[in-house]
Amino acid sequence: MSIIFAGERLEDGCKELAVLLLQTKYTVVLTGAGMDTESNIPDFRGKNGLWRNYDPRLVADITTFQQNYDLFHEFYRERLSTMKHVEPHPGHYVLADLEQRGLIKAITTQNISGLHGKAGSKKVYELHGNMKEIFCDRCGLPATEQELLSRQPCKGCKQYALRPKVVLFGEPLPADVWNAAITEIKRSDLLLVIGTSLEVSPVNQLPYLTEGKLVLINNEDRSAGYAFDLVLLGRAGEILRRTVKYLS
Ligand code: APR
């Protein structure tokens, strides 16, 4: 049975989380788009989520890439410009600091923003890829963001097939990253899940793989169907900042 902390009891939840972080030996973190909204990157299924204006299957699907490159390109040009000037928020820096202190061992993320790495986290598994690597889907030749933004054909095979190295709907996750994430989470004695609706497979299966404690930080309760020990309802950045006070 999860213990839910919200409102004025949230501080107690931060204290409980701090105790767990100090007690456990191998904490792994799983983040989703809710970890990036405080850096002004919209999430997908929250109240102002991206999927309220776009049908994901229409714009972020491998079929669209293959059959309607214009629509694909328009969506990802917008995504690239949204992410161009974003910076990590204090919550990202807290996670990087906790890794420095040995209190967390790895971050597995669904986010493609690269903000965990930008904040200094070293061991980050990008399960859904990233927006910084651009390449030609036909011949594999690397390309630049500028070439993608200005809708250039591939310099090698001349095809209009440039794309970011993100996992599109209908594509498999990168096997090496996926297997490494599974190994980390199976080894964990605490899995801290932050800012995800847990709606998208296969990542939503990962919380079942830890034999340790399971904690959720989210601004809405998405714990149904999982055996979370603690659920802290609120903004990820704020909760992480309040938790770190009890770790000194
Ligand atoms: N603090 C805590 N939780 C937050 C915050 C915040 N500041 N902002 C949003 N949230 C919550 C939302 O309420 C929602 O429950 O984070 C969750 C984000 O869920 P989604 O938008 O579904 O994002 P995510 O779970 O990462 O989506 C998984 O779906 O479309 C695909 O590839 C895409 O990686 C993405 C995947």
Side-chain angles (χ1 to χ4, degrees):
M1 187 64 187
S2 314
I3 307 174
I4 297 183
F5 295 93
E8 69 275 7
R9 287 209 62 227
L10 192 54
E11 195 66 19
D12 295 338
C14 296
K15 283 181 194 160
E16 292 278 320
L17 175 55
V19 168
L20 281 179
L21 284 166
L22 290 168
Q23 269 174 356
T24 47
K25 301 267 175 303
Y26 209 90
T27 295
V28 175
V29 179
L30 169 61
T31 62
M35 183 70 212
D36 284 357
T37 53
E38 292 163 77
S39 289
N40 301 319
I41 300 176
D43 64 9
F44 298 98
R45 298 170 187 84
K47 52 185 182 310
N48 306 315
L50 215 51
W51 297 153
R52 301 215 179 278
N53 310 319
Y54 289 99
D55 171 355
R57 287 282 164 187
L58 213 54
V59 291
D61 190 293
I62 186 62
T63 315
T64 305
F65 172 78
Q66 289 160 344
Q67 296 171 5
N68 187 343
Y69 188 73
D70 285 344
L71 181 59
F72 174 87
H73 181 268
E74 180 201 327
F75 179 68
Y76 278 98
R77 187 179 51 207
E78 194 181 312
R79 292 284 280 152
L80 275 165
S81 47
T82 306
M83 293 196 182
K84 209 155 182 58
H85 306 294
V86 294
E87 291 299 327
H89 61 72
H92 290 108
Y93 289 107
V94 165
L95 292 178
D97 177 55
L98 293 182
E99 181 186 42
Q100 282 276 337
R101 296 165 62 178
L103 293 175
I104 66 172
K105 301 298 181 191
I107 295 177
T108 58
T109 186
Q110 301 169 88
N111 299 340
I112 57 176
S113 62
L115 288 180
H116 286 303
K118 210 168 178 181
S121 291
K122 301 278 179 283
K123 214 170 180 191
V124 181
Y125 297 93
E126 294 178 317
L127 300 164
H128 288 170
N130 68 77
M131 287 289 269
K132 57 184 175 301
E133 294 175 72
I134 311 294
F135 70 105
C136 171
D137 193 74
R138 291 284 187 293
C139 71
L141 192 68
T144 66
E145 183 178 294
Q146 198 39 50
E147 284 162 354
L148 175 60
L149 285 169
S150 54
R151 209 182 177 298
Q152 300 297 314
C154 167
K155 279 213 169 79
C157 68
K158 311 298 178 215
Q159 298 290 315
Y160 284 96
L162 300 187
R163 57 173 284 185
K165 199 173 181 184
V166 298
V167 178
L168 300 174
F169 283 102
E171 287 189 309
L173 273 59
D176 54 341
V177 177
W178 175 248
N179 293 331
I182 288 179
T183 305
E184 293 285 6
I185 292 175
K186 281 186 171 173
R187 184 174 171 189
S188 69
D189 55 358
L190 168 60
L191 178 63
L192 176 53
V193 180
I194 308 176
T196 176
S197 62
L198 290 170
E199 278 204 21
V200 175
S201 82
V203 172
N204 62 1
Q205 301 305 301
L206 290 177
Y208 298 117
L209 299 184
T210 182
E211 285 168 19
K213 294 286 186 190
L214 197 50
V215 174
L216 176 66
I217 295 176
N218 211 57
N219 66 5
E220 57 178 0
D221 188 353
R222 287 285 184 156
S223 62
Y226 296 91
F228 281 102
D229 296 283
L230 303 182
V231 175
L232 282 67
L233 294 181
R235 290 159 57 86
E238 181 199 340
I239 290 172
L240 288 167
R241 272 200 316 275
R242 288 167 66 173
T243 299
V244 83
K245 290 200 315 284
Y246 299 102
L247 291 172
S248 40

